[in-house]
């Protein structure tokens, strides 16, 4: 797998934030427990591999 550049990482973070915004907006601007759980789990799935890759590269 190719290395992630800072630009690629920034794009992934912005996309994730945008999708979280859409998810919260579609739920009527109230963050339910189910929505919060989905946001937290998706953040873990996305950011843990990125963190491990940067930590391993140092």
């Amino acid at each position: 797998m190719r290395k992630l550049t800072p630009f690629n990482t920034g794009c992934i973070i912005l996309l994730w934030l945008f999708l979280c915004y859409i998810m919260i907006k579609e739920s009527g601007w109230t963050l339910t427990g189910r929505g919060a759980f989905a946001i937290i789990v998706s953040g873990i799935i996305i950011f843990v591999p990125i963190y491990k890759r940067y930590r391993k590269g140092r």
Side-chain angles (χ1 to χ4, degrees):
M1 199 155 120
R2 295 184 304 169
K3 287 188 175 183
L4 289 175
T5 64
F7 178 75
N8 292 351
T9 304
C11 288
I12 290 170
I13 291 170
L14 287 175
L15 178 64
W16 182 77
L17 289 172
F18 178 69
L19 293 174
C20 289
Y21 169 75
I22 290 174
M23 186 175 150
I24 292 170
K25 182 180 175 187
E26 292 297 320
S27 68
W29 293 100
T30 57
L31 188 60
T32 61
R34 186 172 149 190
F37 178 75
I39 289 172
I40 292 169
V41 169
S42 69
I44 290 171
I45 290 171
I46 290 176
F47 294 118
V48 166
I50 291 173
Y51 172 75
K52 283 185 178 180
R53 178 169 295 229
Y54 276 120
R55 189 171 178 208
K56 183 180 175 184
R58 290 185 182 197

